Structures are given as structure tokens and as C-alpha cells.
Amino acid sequence: MDNTTLIEARDLSRRYGATIAVSSLKLTLRKGEILGLLGPNGAGKSTTLKMLAGCLAASSGSVQINGIDIAENPKAAKAHLGYLPEQPPIYPELTVDEYLRYAAGLHGVPSAERDAAVTRAKQSCGLSDVAERLIGNLSKGYQQRVGIAQAIIHRPKVVILDEPTVGLDPNQIREIRSLIASLGAEHSVILSSHILPEIQAVCGRVMIINKGRVVYNETVDTQTRVSNVILGLKRAPELSALQNIAGVSRVQTLPSGQLRLTVADGADPREALAAAAANNNWGLFELRAEGKTLEEVFVELTSGEITIHESLKEAA
Ligand code: ADP
């Protein structure tokens, strides 16, 4: 594990009785990343985050936080992380200040540094104006900010946020999203969501989880996979010659005369097509990929029966 890897989960599994909630999951979080775990309800996101945060024992597999094994040395490992569970651990009868001071103590911030830590967390989360208010009287959006503030109060390297915008109204969602994006400057972040635009708005990388397994793991800016290739050839060969190229699963002739090649899942035959066109003098004049949006990928990977072995990508 190099020194830029902050979370390394290997072969992580969790059963609840006969239910396999998470199965052989591999996950890496590097310094500076905001990673989104996306998946339908019941996919295993919360279970994964609880295991990463050391709040739930894995049935098998291991988690290292900043190089420290969380099962062997939970206290030292947890010092590097902050966690906002799905149900925020907030106390309605305390003021924001009282609660954050308490949270600073729980996270081991020395008493001489607690005031400064509380002030900093309030500033980062936009809570300075409500410091004296009772948490129970705050809006859900502000309560969520308090939950995030307690997760960052000890300046952990890693922040884990479970469905941080669930139950918020659209304005609150926008505020929390921009707060999360700003956390990325100082912390590495993992957040879960079942909402695609949320992940696209704040995350640099997305892992799609379905039925406890990672079925997709890509950076958001390269989120389109090649699904079709449009090919223009002046001297097209028999279609079977194209069909035989690795990664091409189907060839159609379009009304325009160009060819549309359907690409096998995860393959990219463009280089092979260009080489074949040059070698065989097919007169290549167009070679263009049509991609799938993340939404199409998400729907495809999480609805109906999917073949895991085809779509499983190495969690790099
Ligand atoms: P997500 O966060 O993606 O909605 P969860 O991790 O909460 O998914 O749940 C994954 C699976 O594990 C689901 O089938 C859920 O019903 C099951 N599960 C979660 N927690 C428990 C539990 N405490 N006891 C039994 N089954 C559970």
C-alpha cells in the first residue's frame, strides 16, 4: 500500500444470516479523491460504509485505514476517519456548540484545542450563526451539517458519509453538495447515494454496487463506455470480416451507408478496426464511438439479471 492510499478494503464480505449483503468487495480510496458509492436500495452501500468505518465487523476480508488494519487496531485506524451514519448521531437537546465540543472530546481532540476545533468545523459547515441553537430546533439540512461537522472535527484524512442528502429539500441538497465538494480540498471523501446526479455533481470517481458486488468503477470524467462504433469505409468488406474482429458483437449497415458495430460489454475495438482497415485497404473515412451515459450504465448494471463476471471491473 503506497502512502497516497487512505482506504484499502480487500475481499470484504458481510452476511446477515442467510443474506449476503456484501460480497468480496475491493475498494481503494486515494488522497484527494471524492468517491461515490452508487446503487439501488439494498445494494449493500450502508453495510460497506459501516465496515469501512469500523462500526460493523466484516464476515471476512480486511480494511486498512491509512495503512492501519481496522480490526487489529481500531482506535488508531479510526483516528484517521470521520463518519456520518445514515441516522446522524446528533442530540436534539444540545446546542450546536455543546454537541460539537462533546464530539471533539469523543474524537480525542485535546481539551486545549477543542474550542479551535469547534470554531473551525462550524466555519467549514456554515454553522457559525446557529452555534447557540438547540439541534432539535434546526432544519433537517442544518442538522445534516451538524452531522458532517462532527465527522470532520478532528480533521481526519478520510470522511465517510452515508446518504448525506437523504430527506433534504432541493435547496438543502444543493447546499450540502457544495459543502461536500469543499471538503474535498482537505479530506478524502466516500459518500453513498442512490441518486445518480448527486454522484455526478460531486464525485471524481463512481463505484456502482449491485447485490453486494462492485459492478462498475470508473472516474466520472471518463464515464462513457463505448457501446457502438460508427464506421465509414469506402470499400467495405463482407460484414463477417468485421464481425470477426475481437470486441465486435454485431454489424449493421445504416441507411447512410455507414456501418454500426455493436461493441461487446467493456470492449473497445477501435484500434483493431483502424489497423484492419489500413491493412486491407478498406478506405476508412470515419471511425467514431458512441458512448453510454452513466445513467444508461447504471440502469443496465442494476436492473434485471446482470452477468457479474462480464461487468465486474477490477476495483483499481
Ligand atoms: P443499501 O445501503 O445499499 O440500501 P444495505 O447495506 O443497507 O444496502 O443492505 C444490504 C442488504 O443487507 C439488504 O438486503 C438489507 O436488507 C440487508 N441488511 C442490512 N442490514 C441488515 C441487518 N441489520 N439485518 C439483516 N439484514 C440486513
Side-chain angles (χ1 to χ4, degrees), residues 157-175:
K157 289 179 194 279
V158 179
V159 182
I160 297 175
L161 307 171
D162 195 353
E163 296 270 2
T165 60
V166 87
L168 303 184
D169 72 34
N171 288 330
Q172 294 167 335
I173 287 175
R174 283 175 57 183
E175 287 169 13

Side-chain angles (χ1 to χ4, degrees), residues 16 19 21 40-47:
Y16 296 106
T19 308
N41 287 324
K45 303 181 296 296
S46 283
T47 302

Side-chain angles (χ1 to χ4, degrees), residues 51 54 67 108 125 152 207 235 297 305:
M51 289 192 284
C125 298
I152 63 167
M207 282 177 69
R235 295 173 292 280
V297 172
E305 282 309 307

